[in-house]
Amino acid sequence: MPAEIQEKLDALSVEDKENTPGTPDAEGSDDDDVAEDVAVDGGAAKKKKKKKKKAKKPAADGDTAANGTAQPVKRATAQTEPPSVPVSHLFPDAVYPEGQLEEYRDDNAFRTTDEEKRYLERMENDHYNDLRKAAEVHRQVRQYAKKTIKPGMSMIDICEMIENGTRTLVEEKGLEAGIAFPTGCSLNHVAAHYTPNAGDKTVLQHDDVMKVDFGVHVNGRIVDSAFTMAFNPQYDQLLAAVKAATNAGLKEAGIDVRMSDIGAAVQEVMESYEVEINGKTYQVKPIRNLNGHSIGPYHIHGGKTVPIVRGGDQTKMEEGELFAIETFGSTGKGYVHEDMECSHYSKNFNTGHIPLRLPRAKALLGSITKNFGTLPFCRRYLDRVGETKYLMALKNLVDNGAVEAHPPLVDVRGSYTAQYEHTFILRPTRKEILTRGDDY
Ligand code: HZE
Ligand code: MN
Ligand code: MN
């Protein structure tokens, strides 16, 4: 960890540190095996340091030196509930914490210390810092979301809570910083790409399994991360299977690693779990037509896909690439199809000018370009920028290929699906799991 970031961490309160990746928690979450692998300056030394600090500085705003004199201490402002403090206020020198670091292995072990690789990396520091800021916003917003979301809340209230938190903490500013894509809150057999449209009265139920998938960007640098919430403990093993499978994929990932090897590692772990739900037992299946993906600036799906089953793809991951590894487990067929009313859309990234004959479609595309650029959006986001009665125009844009529709992706009715997702970057010297937190 660079000295300036270590100093920054040292200035933070104990509470803040516990939320910082790269500071593994001794008591641990259910993810200890992964969290302990943080390759900073040695987990043992770190733990000692933290324990010492905790004992020395219990709660005060100041510090007491060994000789008993009061010491002023730089203290990060605590986040509020609901979150209202922009992360830029919590990190006043605008240096954001690194994610979980992992050294490359085998033929790439040389990279950790290689002078040329370290040089290449320094040139990208501002981009990494933008990603780390986005990741910090994600961690703080999801911490509040996990605490607050309860059965009985409407899906719209759930999404607005997450979206308001993101806008505030990242200090939303046009296309320079904000929400990267609509808040996914897909339920049960719906695996992905559901967010409520206006008027949707759906209320979260005690027996629902909800995939919370949201994204944050700073200058178009996107983090994409998701977790699953359930209130009935009968789903605990399903969630554990998918969490472990995602972690297996993250561990396997690296420069020169074949996509197919990641798929194999994910499937192996996922299928090693048996779950009992409503008195029936299932082997957890990976959803074979869903995958992780590369991410480009303002481009959620950068073009490379990361399978979650064995077979096929000999494509390799490369230096500098940003990826989301997301795995989905299911008690159903392990295969999704499009169904239900569409909420998610994005301007087609690769097409140039498309001639449009319908004036309302032309105007809507102008508004989409201005407000979202190539970032995905949903109908609620069109509503909030003042668009009305746009459904015909939107359909025209989809029919003409200017906009892509991303309808909900569902497994068979009555099945349950879970998802965990993290964003990581293959830095020249090491892998950095940007969105890692103390929760998942
Ligand atoms: C949205 C959105 C959020 C992802 C996508 C993602 C996405 C984008 C497939 C995608 C394009 C089915 C779209 C997405 C999103 N997250 N991959 O994490 F509107 F709000 C593009 C694509 N494709 C080109 N052809 C293949 C698929 O998601 C897949 C998981
Ligand atoms: Mn996602
Ligand atoms: Mn994704």
Side-chain angles (χ1 to χ4, degrees), residues 181 193 213 224-225 291-293 295 300 324-326 328 419 421 423:
F181 53 83
H193 294 176
D213 191 344
D224 178 4
S225 182
N291 40 62
H293 51 96
I295 301 174
I300 183 63
I325 284 196
E326 55 191 301
F328 293 82
Q419 175 197 20
E421 176 174 27
T423 295

Side-chain angles (χ1 to χ4, degrees), residues 14-58:
V14 169
E15 303 89 89
D16 290 321
K17 269 181 144 175
E18 301 209 347
N19 287 335
T20 307
T23 52
D25 186 355
E27 300 85 81
S29 58
D30 40 1
D31 258 332
D32 271 355
D33 48 334
V34 175
E36 299 287 347
D37 284 335
V38 177
V40 258
D41 26 34
K46 272 229 118 132
K47 239 179 276 173
K48 245 187 229 156
K49 194 161 193 176
K50 191 182 118 183
K51 280 238 173 82
K52 221 164 108 192
K53 254 229 143 93
K54 209 169 190 172
K56 201 173 125 198
K57 189 165 66 111

Side-chain angles (χ1 to χ4, degrees), residues 405-421:
H406 302 273
L409 297 169
V410 317
D411 202 330
V412 291
R413 190 160 283 287
S415 65
Y416 294 97
T417 63
Q419 175 197 20
Y420 280 91
E421 176 174 27

